[in-house]
Amino acid sequence: MPAGESLLNRVLTVRGLADSSQVDGFLTPSMADTHDPGLLPGIDAAAARLVEAVRNDEPIVIYGDYDVDGITATSILWHVIRTVAPAAQLRSYVPHRLEEGYGLNAEALRSLADEGAAVVVTVDCGITAIEEAELAGELNLDLIITDHHTPATDDGGIVHLPAAHSIVHPGVPGSDYPTNDLCGAGVAFKLACRFARTWCGSERVSTALQHVLTDSLSLVALGTIADVMPLTGENRVLAGLGLRRIRSTKLAGLQALIEASGLAGEDIDTEGVGFRLAPRLNAAGRMGHAADAVELLTEADGARAEHIATALCSFNDDRQRTEREILDQAVEMARAAGMTDPGRRIIVLAHPDWHAGVLGIVCSRLVERFGRPAILMQEVDGLCRGSARSIDGYSIHDGLTACREHLVGYGGHAAAAGLSLDATQLPVFTDAITSHANEAITREDLVPWLVVDADAVLAEIEAGPVEQLDRMAPFGRGNARPRFRIRDLRITEIKPMGRDNRHLSLRLAGDGGRGVRAVWWKQGERADALADGMRVDVVARANLNRWRNNVTAELEILDLAPGSG
């Protein structure tokens, strides 16, 4: 390694950020690094129609999705409209996951029209709602679609878009927007910015709108991180600025959720969002109704916000228990069916007793465990409906498109999707999607592998250098926390830890004698294979451990092998 070069600089160089201007822009992002909302197709027409509706006191419905991305996207538009018109005829609608399913549905549109709605603006859904958009027109509803999912295509690959009043989507044909990676909350935020400027008739908006848009960045961060969007480019800027804003948020519901999640007073990063806040918001739609989560992030305050936040924590506890039960059963079924063997490169299962609300999470767990895409469905009254998750390099949306003749419906993007099919089609669909996956996924794709940023020595694992690495945050997909290979270490202590001794705490030392604590999650069963004095090489992340007034650096082991010397 170059003499005197810091851990941070070595990682930045490996990731293609050697130029000083690139490094400065990466480490100190600002809103100036984001793209002009006006580049999004349809956004001017959508903003103008919303302004017109508010000024004419027309009833507006924000039609969202039941996941974190949809919930936060709904909340963003709700707050910006309420800021300029507190008495506006504005409401939100989120379909029930189990009773209505994902996206626009005809019955909901008819009900909204009967109740007097004039404008329906979707968030995080709607781009494939061809028939529903036609119905909206028949019902005299002005339908504004904001979405980021993959549009529908015909057998020839031609994209078909709904006949809506306007469509705001970064990836539709003819779009000049520089990236397709915005999540639903990101698209909603862009529309909120355009609405604010249109309302004010100027690029400079009122102080009240500036404040609400700034506070909305925390919601964009939640949606971006929860939807596992790449934390690169504009997404990294929006998520990073939003994470900085979360602790000082003026949103009473978000404050209550932070408190209930045990994060009060802590620095909230992507892990805090991904493992604490997002699961609780998602739990509402999975185990109950996402309308509760929408209320929390929009209208709720005081005791009501605290009550909802506490209820979401309870829902999340139920979700975790249900998830574990389904995961154990799915693992057993997949192995029994040979779906975890090298010759089968996708898992496809259905069961009548599975809770549809948690199947997406269990899919993700199966992908992590077996390194292949997974599709899980609940079979009810002759219909199989569920979720799919994929691995890098294989688009599950493309796979479903190739097998759509066997499906009632589907939608999503490369990494995640939802689907439904007649139960009688399950065997033939399973064969078809398996053939598609077997052809597209190589044996090498099934082998877990780690990208290592750089070699390091144990002497570099100190609080100062490790703290510098945190300047690269937020970490996540596309911007992983740096991983280092450290060779020829000696184990000086082995301690099982956690419930049922599931994890390991090790002490590792180099030739200089200095020791560093290292944790190895979910590897408690390996304790018997290790011994004091054993020489090992590790691939690990370097983290800071803050305990009381002490800050120390430690390693999070990702892989360990006998030392190579």
Side-chain angles (χ1 to χ4, degrees):
M1 67 190 71
E5 190 174 19
S6 69
L7 288 177
L8 175 62
N9 286 339
R10 295 209 300 276
V11 174
L12 292 173
T13 299
V14 166
R15 296 191 182 185
L17 296 167
D19 180 80
S20 60
S21 62
Q22 289 180 311
V23 170
D24 289 343
F26 183 81
L27 297 179
T28 56
S30 70
M31 283 299 293
D33 300 317
T34 62
H35 305 305
D36 180 2
L39 296 175
L40 279 168
I43 197 167
D44 287 327
R49 183 64 185 97
L50 284 176
V51 167
E52 177 186 40
V54 174
R55 285 183 169 151
N56 292 336
D57 198 28
E58 299 177 75
I60 302 170
V61 178
I62 305 171
Y63 193 114
D65 186 25
Y66 38 64
D67 67 359
V68 175
D69 194 19
I71 292 165
T72 52
T74 298
S75 303
I76 289 167
L77 286 183
W78 189 92
H79 281 292
V80 76
I81 293 173
R82 276 279 181 254
T83 297
V84 300
Q89 294 192 65
L90 176 68
R91 58 169 293 198
S92 62
Y93 184 90
V94 182
H96 192 286
R97 179 190 290 267
L98 304 184
E99 296 176 5
E100 298 175 84
Y102 169 78
L104 284 172
N105 69 79
E107 184 176 346
L109 287 174
R110 290 192 180 95
S111 295
L112 294 174
D114 289 342
E115 293 165 6
V119 178
V120 174
V121 52
T122 74
V123 290
D124 195 34
C125 64
I127 196 61
T128 60
I130 307 295
E131 295 178 0
E132 291 79 5
E134 292 180 0
L135 175 62
E138 295 170 6
L139 296 171
N140 294 318
L141 293 172
D142 278 347
L143 180 64
I144 298 170
I145 293 174
T146 78
D147 201 355
H148 71 119
H149 292 97
T150 305
T153 57
D154 60 22
D155 292 336
I158 304 300
V159 173
H160 291 267
L161 299 177
H165 173 278
S166 46
I167 296 175
V168 184
H169 188 301
V172 295
S175 172
D176 292 325
Y177 203 74
T179 176
N180 292 342
D181 289 334
L182 285 176
C183 66
V187 177
F189 177 74
K190 294 291 181 174
L191 177 55
C193 292
R194 204 63 173 178
F195 170 88
R197 292 172 182 173
T198 303
W199 180 271
C200 295
S202 168
E203 290 295 301
R204 294 181 61 84
V205 303
S206 67
T207 300
L209 282 170
Q210 288 179 31
H211 288 164
V212 74
L213 290 172
T214 300
D215 221 19
S216 291
L217 284 170
S218 59
L219 299 175
V220 179
L222 288 174
T224 301
I225 295 165
D227 228 40
V228 199
M229 304 308 293
L231 293 183
T232 56
E234 183 174 45
N235 276 347
R236 181 174 179 274
V237 175
L238 294 173
L241 296 178
L243 287 172
R244 294 180 198 172
R245 184 69 183 175
I246 281 183
R247 284 191 63 184
S248 59
T249 180
K250 299 298 188 294
L251 301 176
L254 183 52
Q255 289 176 337
L257 183 64
I258 291 169
E259 183 76 32
S261 302
L263 290 171
E266 294 187 22
D267 289 330
I268 300 175
D269 57 12
T270 51
E271 291 188 357
V273 171
F275 293 103
R276 306 283 281 279
L277 299 179
R280 286 162 171 78
L281 287 172
N282 264 330
R286 296 186 190 283
M287 309 304 293
H289 199 302
D292 293 334
V294 171
E295 182 186 352
L296 177 68
L297 296 184
T298 54
E299 300 178 272
D301 59 13
R304 177 59 180 164
E306 293 175 6
H307 172 76
I308 296 176
T310 301
L312 295 189
C313 292
S314 179
F315 278 139
N316 193 52
D317 292 339
D318 294 340
R319 187 271 305 171
Q320 289 175 323
R321 286 190 292 269
T322 303
E323 174 195 327
R324 286 192 294 267
E325 293 170 359
I326 295 176
L327 177 60
D328 290 343
Q329 189 174 17
V331 167
E332 183 178 342
M333 291 172 62
R335 284 175 170 158
M339 292 180 180
T340 61
D341 297 339
R344 295 283 293 274
R345 297 170 191 172
I346 190 169
I347 295 170
V348 185
L349 299 169
H351 196 285
D353 295 335
W354 286 346
H355 193 300
V358 303
L359 293 184
I361 302 176
V362 180
C363 280
S364 296
R365 300 290 181 264
L366 291 174
V367 171
E368 292 171 5
R369 180 173 297 195
F370 297 112
R372 65 201 64 207
I375 300 174
L376 298 181
M377 295 169 283
Q378 179 193 39
E379 181 182 341
V380 178
D381 297 330
L383 184 69
C384 292
R385 187 169 65 189
S387 299
R389 298 292 185 270
S390 195
I391 59 175
D392 287 340
Y394 179 71
S395 169
I396 193 64
H397 188 273
D398 288 352
L400 295 177
T401 299
C403 304
R404 63 182 163 193
E405 62 183 292
H406 309 299
L407 302 176
V408 173
Y410 71 100
H413 46 74
L419 73 159
S420 60
L421 66 151
D422 191 289
T424 61
Q425 290 291 302
L426 180 58
V428 65
F429 166 73
T430 301
D431 289 343
I433 194 74
T434 300
S435 295
H436 186 275
N438 283 356
E439 184 176 345
I441 299 172
T442 67
R443 291 175 66 93
E444 290 74 20
D445 292 332
L446 302 180
V447 178
W449 53 286
L450 287 171
V451 175
V452 177
D453 288 282
D455 284 321
V457 296
L458 203 62
E460 295 178 289
I461 310 304
E462 295 182 336
V466 173
E467 189 169 24
Q468 285 294 305
L469 294 174
D470 283 345
R471 296 178 64 196
M472 296 179 60
F475 297 115
R477 181 183 165 204
N479 186 45
R481 187 178 289 276
R483 297 163 174 167
F484 301 99
R485 180 176 60 177
I486 309 176
R487 297 181 175 183
D488 199 26
L489 302 176
R490 180 167 45 87
I491 298 176
T492 62
E493 183 179 77
I494 305 168
K495 286 185 179 180
M497 67 177 191
R499 181 184 299 176
D500 301 323
N501 291 330
R502 292 182 63 211
H503 315 298
L504 285 178
S505 173
L506 305 178
R507 193 81 185 171
L508 302 176
D511 288 335
R514 176 178 175 271
V516 171
R517 180 176 182 261
V519 295
W520 202 5
W521 304 116
K522 299 181 181 179
Q523 299 299 324
E525 72 279 1
R526 299 201 184 197
D528 292 340
L530 304 175
D532 285 349
M534 179 182 288
R535 292 280 181 171
V536 295
D537 297 341
V538 301
V539 173
R541 289 188 281 250
N543 301 323
L544 291 177
N545 184 349
R546 292 181 170 89
W547 175 249
R548 295 179 179 173
N549 294 324
N550 295 321
V551 179
T552 57
E554 65 181 28
L555 294 174
E556 178 187 350
I557 297 175
L558 304 175
D559 200 6
L560 177 149
S564 56

